[in-house]
Amino acid sequence: MIAQDIIIRPIITEKSMQDITKKKYVFEVAKKATKIDIAKAVEELFKVKVVKVNTVHVRGRLRRQGRFEGYTRSWKKAYVQLTADSKPIEFFEGMM
């Protein structure tokens, strides 16, 4: 897989934005991507150094629309910690 296929989108929430000062970023990633794949993809796309990657599988939640019910899609989330001397990711700079 190439880097653009591994990193799908950034997760931008109040909780994820609090950790930007600590150089910790959150991304939605491909379900089959490993921690090593994710670290290499972030380093390649954003030209930074990664210290640690933590991943979480997010289950689909039960939702109802009237009498019909179904599940939302399941996906994978990655928490990426950069080195202290690494530059911050520019994409997130304007959102703080």
Side-chain angles (χ1 to χ4, degrees), residues 18-64:
Q18 289 174 351
D19 291 335
I20 287 182
T21 57
K22 301 173 195 168
K23 295 188 179 180
K24 201 174 216 182
Y25 300 93
V26 184
F27 296 98
E28 179 182 344
V29 296
K31 277 187 172 183
K32 295 191 178 195
T34 63
K35 290 182 179 185
I36 296 168
D37 294 338
I38 296 166
K40 287 180 181 177
V42 169
E43 287 177 352
E44 181 184 327
L45 287 175
F46 301 109
K47 309 292 190 266
V48 294
K49 291 288 180 187
V50 174
V51 173
K52 182 169 78 167
V53 176
N54 293 329
T55 59
V56 177
H57 286 279
V58 180
R59 290 187 192 174
R61 298 173 60 191
L62 181 65
R63 292 288 181 221
R64 288 189 49 192

Side-chain angles (χ1 to χ4, degrees), residues 6-17:
I6 294 172
I7 305 296
I8 296 173
R9 68 183 178 99
I11 305 297
I12 301 169
T13 60
E14 287 182 27
K15 188 174 180 180
S16 69
M17 297 311 267

Side-chain angles (χ1 to χ4, degrees), residues 59-65 68-73:
R59 290 187 192 174
R61 298 173 60 191
L62 181 65
R63 292 288 181 221
R64 288 189 49 192
Q65 182 94 29
F68 302 103
E69 63 182 30
Y71 286 88
T72 60
R73 67 184 185 87

